[in-house]
Amino acid sequence: VLFCLFGGFSFFPPFLSIKYLFILFSFPSPMFLGIGQMAATILILYVSKLNKIVHFPDFDKSIPVKLFPLPLIYVGNHISGLSSTSKLSLPMFTVLRKFTIPLTLLLENIILGKRYPLSIVVSVFAIILGAFIAAGSDLSFNLEGYMFVLLNDIFTAANGVYTKQKINPKELGKYGVLFYNACFMVVPTVIISFSTGDFQQATHFQHWTNFLFVFQFLLSCLLGFLLMYSTVLCSHYNSALTTAVVGAIKNISIAYIGMLIGRDYIFSMLNFIGLNICMAGGLRYSFLTLRGNSKPTQPGDEE
């Protein structure tokens, strides 16, 4: 439960920091920010390993095989998440991110063989219904943003399920998964960023001499590492689905705060009703999960 709370609260600061980096300073390069977060992850974990604060295995030729396909999913999740954050309002982003939950249910069923009771499935459908109502009446509709956030849902669900599968303490462990994911994907991400012009836009950005912008950028990199670390911890000590549930809980506060402090939310009654249906489904889902009714069953248990 403590790691669930840590995962929930650690999402809010980096999300706001990244969101307002794009809004207040109009930073044009989400992929460059992703590179900064990967670099922060590598630096923090490497220094911690040198000082014997954390432990993970040294590199050998078997590590890429052990990790695959997690690095590809990791970079897809990272880039699509940052891109969607920059293009959607806070409330609509959090609503569309709810689709991570049914995708996680589906992937856990396919990859890990887990099944969940009807009450959980009904709550998931309530979340989806509210998301459809809210998204259908979104007055700030952005097709590119919607595509990025739905891709992010797919990558997030796959990342959660495969992370749970890969963080065996006898092999890479949680720190090894974080470190080698970032190491393997930072160079390809730099190449993609350079070839798409994202890197050039970032290096020629006018606010690099602005102390407040630089502070906000570095803070976003550090908080991005905190978010990845808390997500891995929550998946390690619980499950991929529990991590998705924590996401549903934290989104309740983010959506409503976004209405009050965000500059990009356009109010409409249908949109507001959809948001509330979505939040009610999330609360019901969270209540059932924390009460214990959502304990997954293996096919053998049902027999």
Side-chain angles (χ1 to χ4, degrees):
V1 172
L2 288 174
F3 285 115
C4 286
L5 293 172
F6 176 52
F9 284 112
S10 64
F11 177 88
F12 192 57
F15 184 84
L16 282 183
S17 177
I18 292 167
K19 183 65 178 174
Y20 287 105
L21 188 69
F22 292 124
I23 291 177
L24 295 180
F25 295 101
S26 300
F27 186 64
S29 309
M31 203 175 298
F32 188 85
L33 178 58
I35 294 168
Q37 291 181 344
M38 292 179 198
T41 299
I42 294 169
L43 181 63
I44 292 170
L45 290 178
Y46 183 72
V47 171
S48 299
K49 179 178 170 64
L50 288 179
N51 289 279
K52 302 186 184 303
I53 298 172
V54 302
H55 303 281
F56 54 86
D58 295 327
F59 179 78
D60 62 64
K61 61 183 180 181
S62 68
I63 287 179
V65 178
K66 291 177 181 178
L67 267 184
F68 187 83
L70 201 54
L72 299 177
I73 296 170
Y74 168 82
V75 73
N77 184 38
H78 217 68
I79 294 172
S80 61
L82 290 170
S83 299
S84 59
T85 301
S86 65
K87 297 181 184 297
L88 292 175
S89 65
L90 279 167
M92 286 315 304
F93 177 84
T94 55
V95 166
L96 292 174
R97 287 287 287 143
K98 297 279 186 192
F99 286 94
T100 300
I101 298 172
L103 288 170
T104 303
L105 280 171
L106 179 63
L107 289 177
E108 281 201 330
N109 182 265
I110 295 172
I111 297 171
L112 303 179
K114 293 182 178 180
R115 296 180 183 175
Y116 291 87
L118 181 61
S119 57
I120 288 296
V121 177
V122 171
S123 299
V124 167
F125 273 105
I127 295 170
I128 296 172
L129 175 63
F132 267 117
I133 293 173
S137 62
D138 182 15
L139 300 180
S140 58
F141 180 81
N142 184 316
L143 179 60
E144 187 180 0
Y146 277 36
M147 290 175 63
F148 272 121
V149 79
L150 292 175
L151 276 174
N152 189 225
D153 290 341
I154 295 170
F155 282 124
T156 300
N159 186 68
V161 173
Y162 276 106
T163 297
K164 181 64 178 177
Q165 189 183 59
K166 302 290 184 181
I167 51 178
N168 188 340
K170 294 181 180 179
E171 294 186 4
L172 294 177
K174 51 186 179 292
Y175 299 112
V177 167
L178 275 173
F179 180 79
Y180 289 115
N181 258 338
C183 285
F184 291 151
M185 295 316 301
V186 67
V187 174
T189 307
V190 169
I191 294 171
I192 295 170
S193 176
F194 192 83
S195 62
T196 58
D198 179 273
F199 192 88
Q200 292 88 330
Q201 285 183 313
T203 53
H204 292 92
F205 189 58
Q206 60 182 346
H207 288 298
W208 284 112
T209 55
N210 184 332
F211 173 78
L212 184 60
F213 168 77
V214 174
F215 174 79
Q216 190 77 17
F217 182 86
L218 293 176
L219 181 64
S220 297
C221 291
L222 293 174
L223 291 175
F225 162 73
L226 178 66
L227 174 60
M228 289 184 283
Y229 176 57
S230 66
T231 301
V232 169
L233 275 180
C234 190
S235 296
H236 175 62
Y237 289 102
N238 297 284
S239 69
L241 184 59
T242 302
T243 304
V245 171
V246 171
I249 296 172
K250 65 175 167 29
N251 285 348
I252 294 169
S253 60
I254 290 174
Y256 291 109
I257 291 174
M259 292 179 191
L260 298 175
I261 67 174
R263 298 178 180 179
D264 51 357
Y265 178 71
I266 303 173
F267 177 83
S268 77
M269 184 55 68
L270 194 59
N271 180 271
F272 185 71
I273 291 170
L275 284 173
N276 282 283
I277 292 173
C278 194
M279 296 308 168
L283 281 172
R284 174 64 177 167
Y285 180 91
S286 304
F287 172 74
L288 290 170
T289 304
L290 296 176
R291 195 177 65 177
N293 286 355
S294 65
K295 184 179 179 181
T297 58
Q298 303 291 343
D301 295 335
E302 289 184 348
E303 295 174 8

